């Protein structure tokens, strides 16, 4: 037997109060009710209470069902306060987490700032100019003397600036590389936040469904008796991508011009990446080797950065077969050549080539340049004895103006006052001889076998042995830089292509046309007029609306 008693009370409230509804719950029998309290914004509050009397068996069954029911705090995330009224949920402000989520956007906004990117480019240009003024790769003593503290450049610039900031190796210094990395980050941020969204928007079909919107474009015109479908065919023939949607038409041309700025940015990134790799991952070295001698490539090359990694080609041995020079009619040196042979670890010749200035040898990623020359030794016969190899010492070096000299002793070599014959040379083609008193004795050419008598001593100049000045380097960033400059030229040209958009609307037999372009503002109206003149005029007054889509 069940009895149910209900008590209903009503009162007015001025403030926000909870309201209790009677809700049927699946946790109870069909004739049972439970309390559920909700907030409302009314001025009235109803409280309905009920007393339910059921049998003992039904009470136990209900208790079992209630025990497995989830609490309000589990379901809704709210906990009950005093009197069974749920407390208001606390809103989390996010705090540091929200700030952390906004941080990447703020960083991207700062990096993509155009004045910042221009400042970075000017900073790189200034550092490069400074690197051409300051001698690179010299010994510290050189900078101690040239940029001494007693006579600082500009009143403050001394060797401390050069060595502390790494200006003696500018293009691999942390300041230069850091500026390059910052500029690269700005380019990537600009591409991500500006160029890519612009390109995505350009690819969307953008129909205008009102004549008023079309007439607001830069170029507008009206064809009183024309078909929008005929216009679409004319535009397709002019290279436009055309789309029809009912009475509306949208066409565009020159999409590559919208993507070209992205290509320009990528090309600049390639150039900077290649330059950075060249500065931090290459090897360089110089050597002057007399004719007939050898050297090992790895003994000459030195790393220029922390990414420099030697290869198997570093074990190659280079032999100087011959060094010789070409001359102008005036006697000045015009070109010098070196005949080189390359040998592997087994002594097998793997390559042979005669190099000259602007004609280097390339092997295994290593490039050998002909950059300089020197006078190594002079072979002479003295009274038929010899030949003797006399070392030639540089007496004057001033660019291409060089002077070398040697001395052939005469008499007792143990005497404190040794006298002899002096020999001077500007190049390998003629030797000037002086007697023991320093008087001019004559000129002889090497290999002429023509003797000269000086103070009763017969001297023959057998040969002049030159030394080849070679520069060796590995530069893994060169292909990347070349590819970057090629892409830069191509994408720069493509970026000058005009991106044109055309809208049209069929209004009865009248076609309303509008268009705009980002470049060629003067030529665009002329091109549009030529295209519109080709649209055929409708003779019949009945014109069916086009329903098919045209896709270029």
């Amino acid at each position: 037997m069940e009895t149910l008693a209900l008590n209903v009370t009503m009162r007015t409230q001025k403030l926000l109060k909870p309201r209790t509804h009677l809700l049927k719950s699946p946790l109870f029998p069909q004739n049972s009710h439970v309390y559920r309290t909700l907030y409302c914004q009314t001025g009235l509050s109803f409280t309905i209470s009920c007393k339910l009397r059921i049998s003992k068996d039904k009470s136990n069954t209900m208790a079992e069902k209630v025990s497995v029911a989830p609490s309000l705090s589990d379901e809704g995330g709210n906990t009950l306060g005093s009197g069974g009224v749920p407390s208001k949920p606390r809103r989390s402000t996010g705090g540091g987490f929200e700030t952390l989520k906004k941080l990447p956007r703020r960083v991207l906004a700062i990096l993509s700032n155009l004045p910042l990117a221009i400042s970075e480019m000017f900073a790189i240009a200034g550092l490069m100019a400074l690197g051409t003024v300051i001698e690179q790769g010299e010994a510290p003593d050189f900078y101690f003397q040239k940029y001494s503290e007693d006579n600082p450049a500009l009143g403050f610039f001394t060797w401390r600036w050069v060595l502390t900031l790494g200006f003696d190796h500018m293009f691999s210094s942390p300041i230069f590389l850091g500026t390059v990395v910052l500029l690269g980050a700005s380019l990537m941020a600009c591409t991500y936040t500006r160029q890519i969204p612009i390109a995505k928007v350009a690819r969307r079909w953008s129909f205008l469904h009102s004549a008023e919107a079309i007439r607001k474009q830069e170029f507008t015109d009206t064809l009183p008796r024309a078909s929008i479908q005929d216009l679409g065919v004319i535009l397709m023939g002019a290279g436009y991508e055309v789309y029809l949607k009912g009475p509306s038409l949208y066409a565009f041309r020159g999409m590559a011009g919208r993507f070209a700025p992205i290509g320009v940015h990528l090309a600049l990134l390639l150039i900077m990446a290649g330059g950075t790799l060249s500065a931090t991952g290459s090897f360089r070295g110089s050597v002057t080797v007399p004719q007939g001698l050898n050297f090992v490539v790895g003994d000459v090359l030195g790393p220029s950065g922390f990414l420099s990694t030697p290869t198997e080609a570093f074990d190659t041995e280079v032999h100087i077969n011959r060094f010789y020079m070409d001359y102008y009619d005036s006697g000045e040196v015009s070109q010098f050549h070196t005949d080189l042979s390359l040998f592997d670890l087994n002594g097998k010749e793997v390559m042979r080539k005669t190099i000259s200035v602007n004609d280097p040898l390339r092997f295994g990623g290593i490039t050998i340049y002909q950059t300089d020359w020197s006078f190594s030794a002079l072979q002479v016969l003295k009274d038929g004895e010899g030949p003797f190899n006399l070392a030639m010492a540089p007496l004057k070096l001033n660019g291409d103006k060089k002077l070398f000299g040697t001395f052939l002793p005469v008499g007792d070599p143990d005497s404190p006052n040794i006298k002899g014959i002096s020999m001077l040379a500007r190049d390998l083609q003629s030797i000037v001889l002086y007697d023991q008193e320093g008087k001019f004795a004559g000129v002889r050419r090497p290999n002429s076998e023509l003797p000269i008598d000086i103070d009763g001593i017969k001297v023959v100049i057998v040969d002049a042995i030159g030394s080849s000045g070679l520069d060796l380097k590995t530069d893994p960033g060169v292909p990347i830089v070349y590819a970057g400059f090629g892409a830069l030229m191509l994408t720069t040209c493509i970026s000058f292509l005009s991106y044109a958009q055309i809208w049209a609307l069929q209004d009865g037999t009248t076609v309303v046309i509008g268009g705009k372009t980002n470049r060629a503002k003067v030529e665009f109206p002329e091109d549009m007029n030529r295209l519109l003149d080709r649209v055929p005029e409708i003779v019949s007054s009945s014109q069916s609306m086009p329903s098919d889509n045209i896709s270029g």
Side-chain angles (χ1 to χ4, degrees):
M1 186 67 182
E2 301 177 2
T3 59
L4 179 66
L6 298 177
N7 295 326
V8 181
T9 60
M10 181 179 69
R11 56 181 177 176
T12 60
Q13 301 292 337
K14 296 183 179 180
L15 300 178
L16 183 67
K17 293 295 182 177
R19 183 173 58 186
T20 304
H21 293 270
L22 286 174
L23 299 177
K24 292 183 178 181
S25 171
L27 302 179
F28 297 93
Q30 295 181 356
N31 58 353
S32 303
H33 297 82
V34 294
Y35 287 113
R36 182 172 178 180
T37 305
L38 300 175
Y39 284 95
C40 65
Q41 295 185 6
T42 181
L44 299 177
S45 175
F46 293 88
T47 302
I48 300 176
S49 61
C50 65
K51 296 180 180 179
L52 183 63
R53 297 178 182 177
I54 58 177
S55 62
K56 184 176 181 181
D57 296 337
K58 292 185 177 181
S59 177
N60 295 335
T61 304
M62 292 176 57
E64 292 176 357
K65 293 183 179 180
V66 171
S67 63
V68 298
S71 65
L72 291 177
S73 61
D74 294 335
E75 292 180 353
N78 298 328
T79 56
L80 292 177
S82 60
V85 179
S87 60
K88 293 184 178 181
R90 297 181 181 179
R91 295 183 178 180
S92 175
T93 58
F97 180 71
E98 293 294 333
T99 304
L100 186 62
K101 291 177 62 177
K102 296 179 180 179
L103 183 61
R105 297 181 181 178
R106 295 178 181 178
V107 173
L108 288 176
I110 295 174
L111 290 176
S112 60
N113 184 266
L114 181 60
L116 175 62
I118 294 176
S119 301
E120 293 164 356
M121 296 181 68
F122 274 108
I124 292 175
L127 292 174
M128 293 176 66
L130 189 60
T132 59
V133 174
I134 300 176
E135 293 79 357
Q136 300 292 298
E138 300 290 341
D141 293 339
F142 174 85
Y143 302 103
F144 293 157
Q145 296 177 4
K146 186 165 185 177
Y147 302 99
S148 63
E149 295 181 342
D150 298 333
N151 187 20
L154 302 177
F156 69 94
F157 194 82
T158 64
W159 61 268
R160 297 183 183 275
W161 290 82
V162 176
L163 299 181
T164 302
L165 300 178
F167 289 168
D168 57 329
H169 50 280
M170 173 65 75
F171 303 104
S172 59
S173 63
I175 293 179
F176 183 82
L177 295 179
T179 309
V180 170
V181 171
L182 185 60
L183 178 59
S186 296
L187 289 175
M188 290 188 289
C190 180
T191 302
Y192 178 76
T193 59
R194 299 184 182 182
Q195 299 300 332
I196 293 180
I198 290 175
K200 288 182 178 180
V201 170
R203 295 186 61 185
R204 296 174 183 171
W205 301 354
S206 177
F207 293 98
L208 297 180
H209 302 285
S210 66
E212 293 77 10
I214 295 177
R215 290 191 177 97
K216 293 180 181 179
Q217 303 303 318
E218 298 174 359
F219 171 85
T220 59
D221 201 350
T222 302
L223 300 178
R225 290 185 298 275
S227 168
I228 196 173
Q229 194 169 9
D230 294 336
L231 175 62
V233 173
I234 297 297
L235 292 176
M236 288 177 62
Y240 282 86
E241 297 283 342
V242 180
Y243 301 93
L244 281 177
K245 183 178 181 182
S248 301
L249 176 146
Y250 173 66
F252 65 88
R253 183 177 67 179
M255 180 65 72
R258 304 298 286 176
F259 285 93
I262 300 176
V264 171
H265 287 184
L266 294 178
L268 291 174
L269 290 174
L270 276 179
I271 294 172
M272 291 188 292
T276 303
L277 183 59
S278 296
T280 60
S282 60
F283 288 83
R284 284 177 172 80
S286 299
V287 63
T288 301
V289 185
Q291 176 179 302
L293 298 185
N294 303 345
F295 70 91
V296 178
V297 171
D299 295 339
V300 177
L301 291 174
S304 61
F306 61 92
L307 295 178
S308 301
T309 304
T311 62
E312 295 181 357
F314 280 47
D315 296 328
T316 303
E317 186 177 8
V318 181
H319 178 73
I320 310 298
N321 299 314
R322 185 188 175 200
F323 175 78
Y324 61 97
M325 295 190 293
D326 298 333
Y327 303 91
Y328 294 110
D329 295 338
S330 61
E332 296 291 332
V333 176
S334 63
Q335 182 65 279
F336 32 98
H337 311 265
T338 303
D339 183 11
L340 300 177
S341 290
L342 277 60
F343 298 90
D344 58 15
L345 292 176
N346 299 323
K348 179 182 178 181
E349 185 179 46
V350 294
M351 188 176 184
R352 181 169 182 173
K353 181 181 179 180
T354 299
I355 66 172
S356 59
V357 178
N358 298 326
D359 185 17
L361 180 148
R362 292 181 174 88
F363 174 77
I366 300 171
T367 305
I368 303 178
Y369 298 91
Q370 180 75 73
T371 57
D372 202 359
W373 67 276
S374 183
F375 208 139
S376 177
L378 190 66
Q379 281 189 349
V380 300
L381 292 175
K382 176 183 175 184
D383 292 332
E385 298 178 357
F388 301 100
N389 289 334
L390 304 178
M392 298 290 287
L395 303 179
K396 180 182 179 182
L397 298 176
N398 185 16
D400 293 335
K401 305 297 183 182
K402 300 182 179 182
L403 181 63
F404 301 89
T406 188
F407 183 77
L408 177 62
V410 176
D412 185 6
D414 297 330
S415 174
N417 297 322
I418 300 177
K419 292 185 179 182
I421 301 172
S422 300
M423 305 177 191
L424 301 178
R426 293 189 307 167
D427 48 50
L428 304 181
Q429 66 178 344
S430 60
I431 309 298
V432 182
L433 295 92
Y434 298 87
D435 61 14
Q436 301 181 43
E437 302 298 330
K439 296 179 181 181
F440 175 75
V443 179
R444 290 293 182 269
R445 290 181 177 273
N447 300 315
S448 64
E449 300 181 357
L450 181 62
I452 182 173
D453 192 298
I454 303 175
D455 298 332
I457 301 173
K458 185 183 293 185
V459 178
V460 178
I461 306 298
V462 178
D463 193 11
I465 303 174
S467 296
S468 178
L470 304 174
D471 277 2
L472 289 77
K473 75 171 186 177
T474 65
D475 199 339
V478 167
I480 302 176
V481 172
Y482 285 176
F485 273 109
L488 180 62
M489 292 187 289
L490 179 61
T491 53
T492 301
C493 294
I494 295 176
S495 65
F496 284 100
L497 296 178
S498 299
Y499 174 66
Q501 296 174 281
I502 297 174
W503 295 268
L505 181 66
Q506 184 83 55
D507 187 7
T509 60
T510 302
V511 177
V512 182
I513 305 166
K516 67 178 181 178
T517 182
N518 62 338
R519 304 185 189 276
K521 301 288 186 179
V522 178
E523 294 82 359
F524 181 69
E526 300 176 358
D527 294 339
M528 285 299 302
N529 288 327
R530 284 194 295 267
L531 292 175
L532 297 181
D533 291 341
R534 297 167 54 188
V535 179
E537 184 179 359
I538 298 177
V539 178
S540 176
S541 60
S542 62
Q543 173 66 29
S544 61
M545 298 299 292
S547 59
D548 297 333
N549 290 346
I550 299 178
S551 176

